[in-house]
Amino acid sequence: MGSSSSKPVVSEQDFGALLRERALGFLTICAVPSGTRWSKRRFFEVSASADELESFLDDHGARTNRTFSAFTELVASIRGFALAGMQLAHLDRRVDSYGVAERLPEGGAGVLEHMREALRFVQDRTALLMGALLEEARERGVSDLQVGQGQRPDDALEAPPRLPNNVDLDRIDDDDHRIAKVASNYLAALEMLDKVGIEPMVEAERREEFLRAKCSEETARVWEATVHNLQSSYDTYVKNTVLETGDPRLPDLRGHASAALHTLGAVTYLTHFVERHERGLRSDMADSVLQRLVPRSQVRDVTLNRLLVSAHAFIRSGAEIASSLLPSYTRVSSAELCLREGVFLHARPASLIVAIVQHHGTPVELEVAGSRCNAGSILELMVAIGSNPEQRTFVAHGDERTLLDLERLFAADLGEAGLEELPASLNYLRQRK
């Protein structure tokens, strides 16, 4: 049986020789002259090279070695900041084409300046971290490189030329429904961020309390993934279709989602940086170096007052577009749903109603004894049903495609005889986990 003591051990001197060879490429990137332009491509090259070197360091246990732990943490921090910078550099390059500025407050000047301030912060701190890594490398005998001795990256300032857009633009199947679902998901993403209570906070203690309670790395990844899924759905079903070319609201909506997505991506990386610091994964030496170069209070200020505030503004300013798309691409109707004798609407069939609404992705309200509730929320549905246990007839309001499946569910007695007895059109209910 193996153990950690049986693993081969390399001396610090021998590892230093290995590191000199392995780190040369990345350290050369770090040693470029001051003032070198930070493009998306440069951020990518820094992050990719840092990731490769960090894996090498971790494979050899450098993170838990007193001599090389600070070197390792500097590499990891550079990688994280470069990834945040890549998101913001991409947004800075594309934001004019997204068409979001005109819908932002005061023409977007404040929000866009916040985004660019965050980009400048990330650029400056990445450069400081790279300078500190070169200094650490010299102290450990890994390299003699200094800032200015590296070669400037080959990065053209002009946008690359594009091929003619002459592919056949086919209509998508059930295109109205797909667009309605994207618009509905967009409004759900806005509701998610609205509930967070994002607002600028100057006082450091209040800001820290808010971020600790509302913006963990796990939560930030959920926000980012939600908007990413929204954009991916658009790109799969709507992008480059005849419908998109004929309705300018559609690419505008994607522009707002994309602006928020890249901003939230930077939030995730900066939150990760702070939480790594909090979990005590760094040595005392690395901790003091990083705190000097990248003060926590500055990272938190940029995370909330520049990035989160901007991401929320990007999403909120596109809400009017999403709201206008829903009636354009849904066929709103009403349907009376009746329970047959001996059938009751309790928690299990209520979950099937919610599943149908969520499957179609467009809003549906269920009228129970004259009051309406969100049929896509199990909580609202159960409260409405529980408050009216004798109710036998309900009215659903929403897109007719969703209502048709609800009618099929009620006709099949809410699946009380078993899901296998449901019609084939409701197969997706049987496939739920």
Side-chain angles (χ1 to χ4, degrees):
M1 187 171 78
S3 67
S4 58
S5 61
S6 66
K7 293 181 180 179
V9 176
V10 62
S11 69
E12 292 181 350
Q13 182 178 1
D14 289 343
F15 177 71
L18 291 173
L19 185 57
R20 274 193 294 276
E21 179 180 352
R22 195 61 176 265
L24 178 61
F26 181 59
L27 294 175
T28 301
I29 291 174
C30 292
V32 299
S34 299
T36 299
R37 177 176 173 268
W38 280 102
S39 63
K40 178 185 175 183
R41 176 177 172 179
R42 184 183 177 195
F43 276 123
F44 171 77
E45 290 176 347
V46 169
S47 64
S49 185
D51 183 66
E52 183 179 3
L53 181 56
E54 186 182 359
S55 295
F56 170 81
L57 291 162
D58 283 340
D59 287 345
H60 290 80
R63 198 180 302 273
T64 55
N65 177 269
R66 184 176 299 143
T67 300
F68 294 103
S69 62
F71 186 96
T72 304
E73 291 299 341
L74 283 167
V75 172
S77 298
I78 292 168
R79 179 181 63 82
F81 270 78
L83 287 169
M86 187 165 63
Q87 296 279 349
L88 295 173
H90 177 89
L91 176 56
D92 186 43
R93 181 178 178 182
R94 297 286 184 87
V95 70
D96 289 340
S97 68
Y98 289 160
V100 301
E102 62 192 43
R103 295 182 187 84
L104 291 167
E106 299 177 358
V111 174
L112 296 182
E113 180 54 29
H114 284 167
M115 179 269 294
R116 286 167 178 144
E117 285 176 1
L119 176 57
R120 289 191 290 270
F121 172 79
V122 170
Q123 291 170 344
D124 292 345
R125 296 304 153 178
T126 307
L128 285 174
L129 288 166
M130 293 195 303
L133 180 67
L134 292 172
E135 182 180 342
E136 183 70 17
R138 290 193 296 273
E139 290 184 7
R140 301 302 165 202
V142 173
S143 170
D144 293 326
L145 282 170
Q146 299 188 48
V147 174
Q149 295 179 340
Q151 185 176 356
R152 290 184 184 274
D154 179 19
D155 184 43
L157 294 176
E158 299 82 12
R162 296 178 63 85
L163 288 166
N165 184 4
N166 56 11
V167 71
D168 291 336
L169 300 177
D170 297 326
R171 289 185 69 89
I172 53 178
D173 294 334
D174 201 15
D175 45 12
D176 286 4
H177 182 233
R178 298 291 191 183
I179 291 170
K181 188 169 184 177
V182 168
S184 180
N185 288 344
Y186 186 99
L187 294 173
L190 171 60
E191 183 181 6
M192 173 188 70
L193 291 180
D194 278 345
K195 289 179 179 178
V196 178
I198 298 168
E199 61 176 334
M201 298 181 190
V202 176
E203 185 184 349
E205 185 175 342
R206 179 171 173 245
R207 184 171 63 234
E208 180 61 29
E209 181 180 354
F210 173 83
L211 289 172
R212 279 186 178 276
K214 302 288 189 176
C215 185
S216 66
E217 181 185 351
E218 181 180 0
T219 302
R221 291 192 184 279
V222 170
W223 297 339
E224 183 185 359
T226 299
V227 181
H228 182 268
N229 290 339
L230 167 66
Q231 180 175 290
S232 295
S233 180
Y234 181 98
D235 289 348
T236 299
Y237 299 113
V238 182
K239 192 173 178 63
N240 292 331
T241 64
V242 167
L243 216 53
E244 185 190 49
T245 62
D247 190 337
R249 294 175 298 175
L250 295 172
D252 284 352
L253 186 72
R254 188 193 184 280
H256 283 271
S258 189
L261 173 61
H262 293 296
T263 312
L264 289 172
V267 168
T268 297
Y269 290 121
L270 294 189
T271 305
H272 173 76
F273 173 81
V274 168
E275 291 193 7
R276 278 175 57 85
H277 178 85
E278 288 179 338
R279 291 198 298 266
L281 297 179
R282 313 181 194 283
S283 66
D284 291 341
M285 183 182 301
D287 182 72
S288 61
V289 170
L290 290 168
Q291 179 59 24
R292 173 174 56 85
L293 297 172
V294 192
R296 173 198 178 91
S297 60
Q298 291 183 6
V299 177
R300 301 301 252 177
D301 177 44
V302 169
T303 299
L304 175 58
N305 293 329
R306 301 297 179 265
L307 295 176
L308 272 179
V309 166
S310 296
H312 191 207
F314 285 135
I315 284 285
R316 174 177 285 173
S317 58
E320 185 177 348
I321 302 174
S323 297
S324 72
L325 286 169
L326 275 174
S328 300
Y329 292 96
T330 53
R331 298 189 288 273
V332 177
S333 183
S334 298
E336 188 175 77
L337 307 171
C338 300
L339 296 174
R340 285 203 282 231
E341 188 67 30
V343 178
F344 299 92
L345 185 50
H346 52 89
R348 193 196 63 78
S351 71
L352 297 180
I353 293 174
V354 172
I356 288 174
V357 174
Q358 292 180 348
H359 172 78
H360 286 276
T362 53
V364 172
E365 290 184 321
L366 190 69
E367 188 175 334
V368 184
S371 298
R372 295 190 182 193
C373 67
N374 176 9
S377 166
I378 189 64
L379 179 60
E380 288 192 33
L381 200 56
M382 290 306 299
V383 169
I385 294 167
S387 301
N388 302 275
E390 303 303 320
Q391 189 70 25
R392 307 292 296 168
T393 301
F394 311 88
V395 180
H397 307 272
D399 186 74
E400 62 183 27
R401 286 158 290 206
T402 312
L403 302 190
L404 179 59
D405 276 358
L406 290 175
E407 289 176 327
R408 289 165 176 160
L409 178 67
F410 273 73
D413 292 336
L414 302 176
E416 292 291 69
L419 296 184
E420 64 278 0
E421 298 300 320
L422 292 176
S425 57
L426 298 180
N427 274 342
Y428 58 88
L429 294 178
R430 288 192 281 271
Q431 295 166 359
R432 293 187 310 153
K433 292 184 178 180

